[in-house]
Amino acid sequence: MHEHDLDLIAALADGSLDDDTEARALVESCPECRAEYESQMTVIRLLASTPGAEMTDAERAAVHRYLWTELRASPARSSSSPWYRWGYAAAGLFVLVGLVAVLNGGLQLGGGESGAAESFSEVADNATDEGGGQVPLAGVPEEGSGPTTTAAAAAESLPYPFSDYAAETRAKRQDVDAATAPTARVEDEECLERLGLDSQQVVDRLDLDQVYLVLMPAEDGAGETVTFVALGECRIAYVDG
Amino acid sequence: VLTGDREAFDSVLRAHEDRVFSVCLRILGNRDNALDATQDTFLTVFRKAAQFQGRSALGTWIYRIAVNTCYDQIRRAQRRPVEPLPDHIDPSDPNAEERIESAALRPEIDRALATLPIEFRNAVILSDLEGLSLPEVAEVLGVPVGTVKSRVFRGRRILAQRLGNQITP
């Protein structure tokens, strides 16, 4: 068999030929080629029928426990894994959103996209009005103890394991099915620039494309703060969900 | 994931953990090592999420990290003295029976796979066991598609010889 024949047989077995006429003719006319092809197909079928391995429940729990423990214990590496730090801040802000909703007499997070967008805009406005639009992260010096305490307490009391927290958050965000909602990635960098933001700063999505939590340098240069920013005008790519 | 959303991490973990574990188990051939590799894979995924450029599918990117993690583990193991395999299952391990049962699903295939050179083995695992397309396998392994085709073809050839009359055409 020539190298070309082997290539054809391999391509036929892989199903990667647009036109398999030549390959099929080869297999039909050359017993050696047919044996090679059938051997390939037999292995393919055998492997395809082999079930994938799965972790046992105990192994899965151990893996999750290890991961969340490692990720929670990694503040020293926060410069290379800022999601951890941001995640805590976001947790604080979710709580704050809830508080604002309660204070406003029961903010309706559900009820359709337009209504939700309006409500979130109101949340953003309210947050800006009440706290300069910024909520300090735990441990970051900031004037005013209310929001700081809320964010810090929320960060410290973040439920464990995270899946519980995720379920709780989903229940709170009644208008967004977080289980199926994709993760957003801001692709319109120019739009972000107009808002004075960097895509890496967008840390969480509160509404489908309306309001984001954004990590910002503190005005006094000491640490970072998180603020609500409406990014509805920026193009969003959904990369997961 | 890119933006550090912990909910997204959680959903990514649950969506991909079994496939990552499956790949690691087949590459490494050892359940405990595969669990270690699975953990390390997702730690890397989470910590490098911001580096994901979106040029490939998220799953492909995760596979690539998993395969590289397995390579690292193999390299580390090669630098360590060889430890003898246990000749019995610790009776105090409550998962022992389950592990044996799971590992025995297709032992002849696992044994045959283990005889393949690592490059062939990984290509065959990703292509024929995990069902990735050839371009996806190329993306995961960081080699040209033509190389993947060759490795998969030759890997299957060796498997066919190793499995011999255990397989029914």
Side-chain angles (χ1 to χ4, degrees):
Chain A
M1 259 187 297
H2 299 295
E3 195 67 27
H4 174 68
D5 295 343
L6 288 176
D7 287 344
L8 270 181
I9 293 166
L12 183 64
D14 291 330
S16 58
L17 289 172
D18 292 331
D19 180 359
D20 62 4
T21 309
E22 182 187 358
R24 295 227 170 263
L26 175 70
V27 167
E28 290 303 317
S29 62
C30 161
E32 193 184 352
C33 301
R34 187 185 313 155
E36 185 72 60
Y37 172 69
E38 286 176 353
S39 172
Q40 289 277 315
M41 292 307 295
T42 300
V43 173
I44 289 172
R45 281 192 290 269
L46 181 70
L47 295 182
S49 68
T50 304
E54 287 186 4
M55 290 183 279
T56 65
D57 289 343
E59 289 169 339
R60 193 184 312 277
V63 167
H64 288 193
R65 191 163 52 246
Y66 170 85
L67 282 173
W68 301 133
T69 302
E70 281 291 305
L71 293 169
R72 289 190 71 179
S74 61
R77 285 169 283 192
S78 57
S79 60
S80 60
S81 55
W83 74 270
Y84 175 83
R85 177 185 49 190
W86 295 352
Y88 269 35
L93 276 168
F94 282 132
V95 172
L96 184 62
V97 168
L99 287 175
V100 171
V102 170
L103 291 174
N104 284 345
L107 175 65
Q108 294 300 310
L109 297 184
E113 268 193 28
S114 59
E118 188 178 331
S119 297
F120 272 112
S121 298
E122 289 172 4
V123 172
D125 291 340
N126 289 340
T128 303
D129 292 340
E130 289 170 14
Q134 296 183 338
V135 180
L137 288 171
V140 176
E142 189 79 17
E143 290 182 10
S145 59
T148 306
T149 304
T150 303
E156 288 302 318
S157 63
L158 187 66
Y160 177 81
F162 175 66
S163 54
D164 295 340
Y165 164 70
E168 188 180 317
T169 305
R170 286 186 196 116
K172 286 178 183 171
R173 297 157 68 181
Q174 295 168 17
D175 64 325
V176 177
D177 182 2
T180 56
T183 300
R185 174 160 53 96
V186 181
E187 286 207 323
D188 189 343
E189 298 290 338
E190 288 183 3
C191 175
L192 283 180
E193 283 180 16
R194 285 198 298 276
L195 293 166
L197 299 172
D198 180 280
S199 61
Q200 298 301 313
Q201 293 174 307
V202 180
V203 295
D204 200 2
R205 178 168 50 85
L206 282 184
D207 194 4
L208 287 179
D209 57 1
Q210 297 300 321
V211 181
Y212 284 76
L213 306 179
V214 177
L215 192 70
M216 303 284 285
E219 286 183 7
D220 61 3
E224 292 154 323
T225 60
V226 173
T227 186
F228 293 101
V229 172
L231 294 182
E233 65 184 285
C234 297
R235 192 156 52 88
I236 307 298
Y238 297 109
V239 296
D240 186 39
Chain B
V1 176
L2 295 171
T3 55
D5 184 328
R6 295 185 64 168
E7 269 187 65
F9 289 157
D10 198 46
S11 62
V12 165
L13 172 64
R14 290 177 190 280
H16 296 277
E17 60 188 352
D18 278 326
R19 296 187 78 183
V20 165
F21 172 71
S22 183
V23 166
C24 292
L25 180 58
R26 280 166 169 152
I27 292 175
L28 298 170
N30 174 290
R31 205 167 179 91
D32 288 334
N33 292 347
L35 287 168
D36 285 345
T38 301
Q39 291 175 166
D40 291 345
T41 294
F42 281 103
L43 270 184
T44 304
V45 166
F46 294 164
R47 287 175 172 156
K48 292 188 173 178
Q51 295 175 21
F52 176 60
Q53 299 296 312
R55 284 193 288 265
S56 61
L58 181 62
T60 306
W61 183 66
I62 293 174
Y63 268 129
R64 182 168 184 145
I65 291 175
V67 170
N68 286 336
T69 301
C70 291
Y71 279 145
D72 288 344
Q73 196 176 103
I74 290 169
R75 276 195 288 269
R76 282 199 301 272
Q78 286 171 342
R79 287 198 291 268
R80 285 198 298 266
V82 176
E83 296 174 13
L85 291 172
D87 55 2
H88 66 283
I89 299 294
D90 184 348
S92 66
D93 182 355
N95 297 318
E97 267 186 46
E98 195 172 4
R99 290 185 191 189
I100 293 171
E101 191 178 326
S102 177
L105 282 172
R106 302 305 284 266
E108 73 280 9
I109 294 176
D110 288 341
R111 278 196 295 270
L113 275 172
T115 66
L116 294 181
I118 185 79
E119 293 84 3
F120 294 1
R121 192 192 321 164
N122 292 347
V124 169
I125 287 170
L126 293 170
S127 168
D128 292 350
L129 284 161
E130 297 301 323
L132 271 65
S133 68
L134 294 176
E136 285 173 332
V137 176
E139 180 81 29
V140 170
L141 299 179
V143 298
V145 175
T147 304
V148 172
K149 286 181 181 175
S150 171
R151 288 179 182 178
V152 170
F153 183 77
R154 292 158 73 185
R156 287 181 196 141
R157 260 185 159 182
I158 298 173
L159 280 179
Q161 291 167 359
R162 297 278 193 277
L163 292 167
N165 58 8
Q166 297 180 56
I167 56 181
T168 308

